Each structure stands twice: as C-alpha cells, then as structure tokens.
Amino acid sequence: ELLSIRALLPSRGGEPVARALTAVVEIAADDSLGSGTILSKDGWILTNAHVVEKVGGGSFDDVVVSASIDPRRPPVELFRGKVAHVDLERDLALVRIASGFYGQPLPAGYVFPTVEMGDPDGLAIGDPIWLVGYPSTGGQGSRVTITCTRGVVSGYETADFGPVIKTDAEITIGNSGGAALDDRGRLVGVPTSLVELGSGQVAYVHPLSALPEEW
C-alpha cells in the first residue's frame, strides 16, 4: 500500500504539497534512472522521454516503478510499467503501470494516489514552486530517498512547442521526470533539465501545457 507522506515538509503551507508526494515515483530501466508522477487512479505516469530512452536511441518497453512508503527510506520496488507514448521533441513520455513488481496482476479496483492538475499558465515570476523526485545525489546509501526542493518561478524560455519555465529550485540528475508543484500542491510541470551558471543554477520545467493534445 502506498502510504501518505507527511513528515517531509514544514507544516505551514506544506500539507497540500505533502499529499501530492505520494504520487511521485522512481522509474528505473537497464541504464536509466529518473522520476515520474502518477496522473490517474488507474496508473498512468508522466515522465521525461529521456528517462525511458535507451542509449543509442529507442525507448524501453518495460520499466520498474518504485514508491516511497516511508520518506525516511529509499523507495520500494512495487510495480512494472509499460512505456506507452514518447515525444522526443517535448521530452515527455507516458508510462502505464501494468503489473506488480514480480509480474502479478494488480488487485481488482486498485486505486493509485494521484496529483491534482494545476495551471502553469497562471504562474507568475516570483511564485513559489516545489520540485520533487529522486535525485542521484544526497543519499547515504546506494539508493536515495524522495527529495523536495523549493524555489520560485525565475522566468521563461521559449521552445518550438511553447514556453518553458525557469526556476532556481534545486535539481540534479534523477529529478528528471518528477513533479513541479505550485504552492497548493498541484502539478504544473515536469523538471527536465539543468543549466549551471557558476555557483548557481537554473532548472527548466516543461509545463503541462506542453503535453501533446492527443495525450
């Protein structure tokens, strides 16, 4: 069972974000590790295309999905997912949870925790933003725990598919594909890439508005 995560954030203003963390998962394949967010009660996960992309091209068919039952410990391998849709230009992908970790069928009527959808177009420069995922740094063992960082909307860039959100919230390898949340704990985008600027950094978030219409 996926349990509620409460202890990760301060109580003031943190509870909506803490509720959303139950839906942020780790996604692993042969030579790739990243994060994802469960969008629907039947197990559709949004992540980055590069998280499920093989070295040399093409996408993995199957991935392992791990979830945090206890935020003080690394995530537990619980499910296997099928890569269903990939858009390399937008660097987005959809994965469908297909079975338990050992291939066993999901229980009838199993309901996954989900994140409420937000409105990235309603964000303004200076608004708070939270990035949640499983970065490869910051762990004392071979596996890291779920990690949440906070920053603000720092600005915007424009890609061929539309606007990209800039933020000063901390992101490292492994955060890719995770959740970018507004101050009400609603999903507004996917942390995707990082540009280092001397001792500081800027992270890029692909907003929900970048999802292909047919998805």
Side-chain angles (χ1 to χ4, degrees):
E1 183 180 359
L2 302 183
L3 303 180
S4 179
I5 299 175
R6 299 279 181 193
L8 202 60
L9 299 173
S11 58
R12 194 182 83 172
E15 188 169 338
V17 177
R19 286 198 301 267
L21 301 192
T22 59
V24 180
V25 296
E26 183 187 70
I27 295 177
D30 289 345
D31 54 4
S32 177
L33 190 68
S35 306
T37 304
I38 304 175
L39 299 184
S40 67
K41 294 180 179 180
D42 58 348
W44 282 94
I45 299 172
L46 176 64
T47 186
N48 280 133
H50 73 260
V51 170
V52 298
E53 189 176 13
K54 297 178 181 178
V55 175
S59 300
F60 294 102
D61 295 324
D62 303 291
V63 296
V64 174
V65 179
S66 304
S68 289
I69 294 175
D70 181 345
R72 296 164 295 186
R73 298 183 180 275
V76 178
E77 296 171 332
L78 295 177
F79 307 106
R80 292 190 180 272
K82 300 285 187 182
V83 179
H85 301 288
V86 175
D87 190 311
L88 295 177
E89 179 188 2
R90 300 165 192 259
D91 199 359
L92 296 172
L94 285 178
V95 173
R96 177 73 181 272
I97 296 176
S99 70
F101 177 67
Y102 297 103
Q104 70 271 37
L106 297 173
Y110 190 90
V111 176
F112 290 94
T114 62
V115 172
E116 181 183 354
M117 299 287 196
D119 177 18
D121 294 334
L123 294 174
I125 292 177
D127 283 350
I129 194 167
W130 304 81
L131 302 186
V132 185
Y134 295 87
S136 58
T137 58
Q140 297 183 359
S142 59
R143 298 284 300 279
V144 299
T145 54
I146 193 168
T147 301
C148 179
T149 61
R150 186 183 185 189
V152 299
V153 176
S154 303
Y156 300 91
E157 292 286 349
T158 302
D160 291 340
F161 54 80
V164 173
I165 300 170
K166 295 193 293 185
T167 179
D168 62 346
E170 185 78 18
I171 179 176
T172 56
I173 295 172
N175 275 114
S176 295
L181 307 169
D182 65 15
D183 60 353
R184 293 173 57 184
R186 301 177 304 180
L187 185 71
V188 292
V190 180
T192 298
S193 59
L194 168 69
V195 176
E196 295 184 1
L197 300 172
S199 60
Q201 67 165 15
V202 172
Y204 293 139
V205 173
H206 288 194
L208 288 182
S209 54
L211 267 69
E213 290 185 11
E214 59 270 23
W215 291 9

